[in-house]
């Protein structure tokens, strides 16, 4: 494929994925692996993630294995946890060991445990694509990082962690304008409500209602930040059930 045609095919593929990720995943899965790589290899990580999330796990795993290790580990850590865990099972032991060297230990442990989470648990519903900074980082570095993200990917909250990845607090993106860029993240953060991967959807709903937010961080037993649960990811409750709950309170 010559360069101009390759570039055009990449543009078309990107638009297809962003407009209809499930249909794009099915269409790409019907191609040979090397053909898929030619089309999605040069695309931005968030586009590749959107494509691989709904793709049949064996095919998605075959595609990911052919990407450079650094790129593959970055994308794997940003897929839905359930999909990441399925791909992890598809990989050979030597490849899992190679990936493990490029991934956070807490995330590797999460993948090993993901299959034991209940279908409606936070661990199955959360996402691992989030923005976090260290307590000693300057706000100016965080602001520059946010500027590099597409508008649709801007998070409503950024999380502050310690040296071992443990959750320390949260900074609302909308509040960044009230602080000087040279402020240290640890000095302007607020306490963060959080969930655990094993928590059920019902507990998460109550936590969202109490915290009055649309996203909550998820931590393990050591307090290490694993992911973020978006309120919109929770299974919908029927109006009938909601009404009955209100009448029986």
């Amino acid at each position: 494929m010559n360069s101009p045609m390759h570039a055009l095919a990449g543009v078309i593929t990107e638009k297809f994925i962003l407009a209809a990720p499930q249909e794009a995943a099915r269409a790409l899965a019907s191609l040979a692996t090397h053909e898929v790589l030619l089309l999605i290899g040069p695309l931005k990580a968030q586009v590749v993630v959107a494509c691989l999330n709904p793709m049949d796990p064996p095919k998605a795993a075959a595609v990911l294995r052919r990407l450079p290790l650094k790129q593959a580990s970055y994308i794997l850590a940003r897929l839905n946890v359930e999909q990441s865990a399925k791909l992890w099972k598809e990989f050979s032991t030597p490849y899992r060991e190679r990936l493990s060297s490029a991934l956070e230990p807490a995330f590797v442990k999460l993948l090993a445990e993901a299959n034991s989470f209940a279908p409606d648990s936070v661990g199955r519903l959360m996402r691992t694509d989030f923005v976090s900074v260290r307590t000693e980082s300057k706000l100016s570095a965080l602001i520059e990082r946010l500027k590099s993200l597409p508008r649709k990917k801007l998070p409503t909250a950024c999380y502050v962690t310690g040296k071992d990845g443990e959750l320390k607090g949260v900074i609302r993106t909308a509040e960044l304008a009230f602080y000087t860029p040279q402020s240290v993240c640890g000095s302007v953060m607020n306490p963060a409500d959080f969930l655990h991967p094993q928590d059920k959807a019902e507990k998460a709903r109550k936590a969202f209602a109490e915290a009055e937010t649309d996203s909550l961080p998820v931590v393990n037993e050591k307090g290490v930040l694993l992911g973020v649960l978006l309120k919109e990811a929770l299974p919908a409750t029927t109006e009938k059930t909601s009404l009955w709950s209100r009448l029986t309170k």
Side-chain angles (χ1 to χ4, degrees), residues 68-138:
L69 186 66
K70 185 176 181 180
Q71 184 182 10
S73 61
Y74 185 89
I75 290 170
L76 182 69
R78 282 154 181 79
L79 294 173
N80 295 336
V81 172
E82 187 171 12
Q83 178 73 338
S84 294
K86 289 178 180 177
L87 267 61
W88 191 254
K89 291 178 66 177
E90 293 288 337
F91 298 143
S92 65
T93 299
Y95 187 69
R96 281 201 295 265
E97 291 175 350
R98 289 181 60 206
L99 273 178
S100 296
S101 67
L103 293 167
E104 292 291 335
F107 180 68
V108 176
K109 185 173 183 290
L110 174 67
L111 291 180
E113 297 174 345
N115 291 318
S116 65
F117 296 148
D120 65 339
S121 66
V122 170
R124 289 284 188 97
L125 300 171
M126 72 180 189
R127 56 189 293 180
T128 54
D129 187 6
F130 56 86
V131 174
S132 66
V133 291
R134 293 278 292 273
T135 51
E136 67 272 20
S137 299
K138 295 287 184 68

Side-chain angles (χ1 to χ4, degrees), residues 83-240:
Q83 178 73 338
S84 294
K86 289 178 180 177
L87 267 61
W88 191 254
K89 291 178 66 177
E90 293 288 337
F91 298 143
S92 65
T93 299
Y95 187 69
R96 281 201 295 265
E97 291 175 350
R98 289 181 60 206
L99 273 178
S100 296
S101 67
L103 293 167
E104 292 291 335
F107 180 68
V108 176
K109 185 173 183 290
L110 174 67
L111 291 180
E113 297 174 345
N115 291 318
S116 65
F117 296 148
D120 65 339
S121 66
V122 170
R124 289 284 188 97
L125 300 171
M126 72 180 189
R127 56 189 293 180
T128 54
D129 187 6
F130 56 86
V131 174
S132 66
V133 291
R134 293 278 292 273
T135 51
E136 67 272 20
S137 299
K138 295 287 184 68
L139 279 183
S140 56
L142 173 59
I143 292 170
E144 286 303 312
R145 184 174 173 185
L146 292 176
K147 284 181 178 178
S148 67
L149 296 176
R151 183 176 295 274
K152 291 182 179 180
K153 296 288 288 184
L154 279 176
T156 58
C158 304
Y159 300 98
V160 185
T161 63
K163 64 177 182 178
D164 295 321
E166 66 277 19
L167 178 67
K168 294 294 186 181
V170 60
I171 300 175
R172 302 295 171 189
T173 305
E175 296 175 358
L176 287 172
F178 298 107
Y179 305 113
T180 60
Q182 292 307 306
S183 298
V184 177
C185 292
S187 67
V188 301
M189 68 184 184
N190 293 306
D193 296 297
F194 56 84
L195 295 164
H196 294 287
Q198 299 83 2
D199 292 340
K200 297 294 186 65
E202 186 57 36
K203 181 175 181 178
R205 288 191 187 91
K206 293 179 181 178
F208 276 115
E210 293 172 0
E212 298 182 345
T213 183
D214 61 357
S215 64
L216 283 170
V218 183
V219 303
N220 66 11
E221 69 280 359
K222 295 182 179 180
V224 174
L225 180 61
L226 298 176
V228 174
L229 178 67
L230 300 183
K231 187 176 182 179
E232 64 187 34
L234 291 172
T237 57
T238 65
E239 183 62 26
K240 182 178 180 180

